[in-house]
Amino acid sequence: YSDDYYRPSPDDNPQGPDTGNEKVLRGGSWKDDYAEMRSVNRETEKPAYFSNVIGFRCAKDVNP
């Protein structure tokens, strides 16, 4: 995690820094307030941390 990672990062498929002790959590969860629910929200956490409010959502268009 780096607060300014996206300033110098490549536009296409940024891989993240080569070193560090934290990972990035993006977006919000059902427990967050409206300001944190945005998909651009970024927070840090230790790689081994887990919780029932961290994960991802699969979505499919109902119109094939």
Side-chain angles (χ1 to χ4, degrees):
Y1 177 85
S2 174
D3 282 335
D4 66 349
Y5 175 73
Y6 287 108
R7 286 188 192 117
S9 71
D11 290 335
D12 186 35
N13 195 20
Q15 297 298 304
D18 292 330
T19 62
N21 296 318
E22 295 181 318
K23 300 290 184 177
V24 176
L25 301 176
R26 290 185 174 95
S29 78
W30 54 268
K31 71 164 187 68
D32 291 327
D33 65 22
Y34 70 93
E36 295 173 329
M37 281 191 188
R38 298 177 48 207
S39 60
V40 297
N41 185 52
R42 296 172 70 232
E43 298 180 28
T44 66
E45 194 55 74
K46 300 290 182 194
Y49 179 78
F50 67 94
S51 170
N52 68 345
V53 299
I54 297 173
F56 64 94
R57 182 181 314 185
C58 296
K60 181 179 177 182
D61 192 342
V62 294
N63 299 317

